[in-house]
Amino acid sequence: MSRPVVDRTAKAVISELLARDVVPVLKRHGFAGRGRNFRRTREGRQELVTVEPHRWNDRHGGAFAIDLGVFIDALDAAESLVPPAEPPARHECHLHVGSGFRWTFDAVTDLRALGASAGEWVLREALPRFDRLATGAGVLDWLRDRTDPPGLRQVYLAATAGAPELAQAWLDRVVAEAAPWPLPVRREAARFAALLGLRCPPPVDSPTLTVTLRLPHDVPPARQEEALRQLSYKLHQHLTELRAGRPAAQAATLYHALRRDGLVCTADFYGAPAEDLLRPLRRAFAKLAPQFADIRESSTPGGGSPAPPPPPD
C-alpha cells in the first residue's frame, strides 16, 4: 500500500506551524529571529531556540525537533581572545538542551493540534528551562546530567555556579588525563585556575620564542577584533603544519599561548627551537603586518621569560 502524500512540502508545513503557533510565543517573551532560529539576550547571555527538521523529510510527511542553547558571554571571554564575529550559532553555545522528542506529521495528522503542541512545549517547557539554566542550581543539574569527561569549560561552569569543590575535582582530572597534550593543557588549566581561584600545578615549560604585536590605536574596535581573529587563525594554521612533520611525542609539546593586554598581543611559543618556529611564522607575520602597528620577535634559546611589550607610540 502506498504511503499517504502531504499536499505540501514538509518545509512548508513546518514553516506554517512555526509562524502560527511557535513564533508568537517566542516574540511575546523577547525572542527575535526568522526562519528556524530565534535569539534572546539577557543577563550576560544569549539564549537560542533552533528548530531542526528531520533530514529525511519529504512530501509524504516529516518531523522536527526544537533545541535550546545558551551562550555565556563571560565564559566565551575566558576561552577566546575576541568575541564571535557574528551572533553565536547553535553549535557555539555553552549549554545545550533538546526537547527530547520529535513532532511528526503526515497526510492524516491534525496539523493544528500538532502546532499547538509545539507552541505549548515552548511556553511550558522551553522558557522555564532557560530560567532554570540562568541559576547556579540549574547549571549544576545540567552538568551532572552529562556523561562525557569534563573539560575546562565544565570546570568554569561548576566554579561559577557555586560548586568550587566539584570544579577543583574536575580540574585535577583534566590535568591528570591531559595526554597526549599535557603541557598545553596544564598551562591552560593553570590560567583557568588563576581566573577561578582554584589550585593547579604550575606549567613546567618556558617559551623559546615570544612575539609581541601591537594593534593600531586609531582603528575601530571591530577592525581590531578582526585583526586578532586573523592572528589566531594564522598561528593555528602554521603550527598545525609544523606539527605535521614531527613525531607524535614531539608534536604534542609544540604549541602557543596567545594573550592580549589592551592594544598589545603576546604570543608565546613552546616546544621547538626559535629558528624552527620562525621559518613558517614569518610568512604569517608578513601577511598580518598591514593590520598591526608593530611586530617584534624575541627568541629565548632553552626557554626564558617572555619579552616585554613594545613601547607605546
Side-chain angles (χ1 to χ4, degrees):
M1 180 182 295
S2 62
R3 297 168 61 195
V5 178
V6 178
D7 61 359
R8 289 168 293 164
T9 66
K11 179 179 179 181
V13 171
I14 294 172
S15 295
E16 178 185 307
L17 297 182
L18 294 179
R20 185 183 64 228
D21 299 299
V22 175
V23 174
V25 175
L26 292 172
K27 290 192 172 181
R28 283 200 305 271
H29 290 84
F31 285 83
R34 56 191 302 179
R36 301 192 302 269
N37 299 284
F38 300 87
R39 180 178 290 101
R40 176 174 70 179
T41 300
R42 64 171 187 166
E43 301 169 2
R45 62 186 52 215
Q46 297 184 57
E47 299 170 340
L48 280 70
V49 175
T50 305
V51 179
E52 292 291 333
H54 192 276
R55 63 182 300 182
W56 301 118
N57 286 355
D58 57 24
R59 296 189 69 85
H60 296 282
F64 63 93
I66 300 177
D67 294 325
L68 315 180
V70 180
F71 181 90
I72 302 172
D73 296 339
L75 176 49
D76 178 68
E79 292 182 322
S80 306
L81 197 66
V82 291
E86 303 290 341
R90 174 174 169 263
H91 70 275
E92 296 174 298
C93 287
H94 303 109
L95 307 174
H96 295 272
V97 181
S99 58
F101 59 94
R102 285 193 173 101
W103 288 267
T104 62
F105 58 90
D106 57 24
V108 298
T109 300
D110 182 343
L111 296 180
R112 285 197 169 273
L114 186 72
S117 171
E120 186 71 7
W121 184 86
V122 169
L123 181 63
R124 305 298 179 192
E125 298 288 339
L127 297 176
R129 289 188 191 186
F130 280 130
D131 291 339
R132 178 70 175 164
L133 289 173
T135 68
V139 171
L140 289 175
D141 286 344
W142 182 88
L143 287 169
R144 288 171 174 139
D145 283 342
R146 296 174 62 88
T147 57
D148 54 324
L152 292 177
R153 177 174 290 184
Q154 286 73 40
V155 169
Y156 181 98
L157 289 169
T160 55
E165 297 85 359
L166 178 61
Q168 184 66 62
W170 282 352
L171 181 69
D172 294 342
R173 180 177 172 184
V174 168
V175 173
E177 299 177 355
W181 303 96
L183 295 175
V185 171
R186 177 177 287 192
R187 186 167 295 278
E188 188 70 354
R191 186 176 70 84
F192 268 70
L195 181 68
L196 299 169
L198 303 175
R199 302 179 306 278
C200 183
V204 295
D205 55 344
S206 299
T208 57
L209 173 68
T210 295
V211 179
T212 53
L213 306 96
R214 186 159 46 84
L215 290 158
H217 63 81
D218 56 349
V219 300
R223 283 183 56 194
Q224 293 180 6
E225 290 174 359
E226 182 56 34
L228 293 178
R229 290 188 191 96
Q230 286 296 316
L231 170 63
S232 180
Y233 171 76
K234 288 292 184 186
L235 296 186
H236 174 77
Q237 179 186 46
H238 283 270
L239 286 181
T240 299
E241 293 172 359
L242 194 58
R243 290 190 197 102
R246 294 170 178 260
Q250 192 178 39
T253 67
L254 179 58
Y255 70 100
H256 74 287
L258 185 61
R259 62 187 187 275
R260 178 184 182 184
D261 182 10
L263 295 176
V264 175
C265 297
T266 304
D268 291 322
F269 298 89
Y270 302 83
E275 56 270 21
D276 291 353
L277 291 159
L278 282 170
R279 276 195 294 271
L281 286 172
R282 279 181 174 144
R283 297 197 303 270
F285 298 149
K287 294 177 182 178
L288 291 165
Q291 302 178 66
F292 290 87
D294 191 23
I295 300 177
R296 298 190 188 184
E297 305 159 2
S298 175
S299 61
T300 51
S305 302
D313 287 336

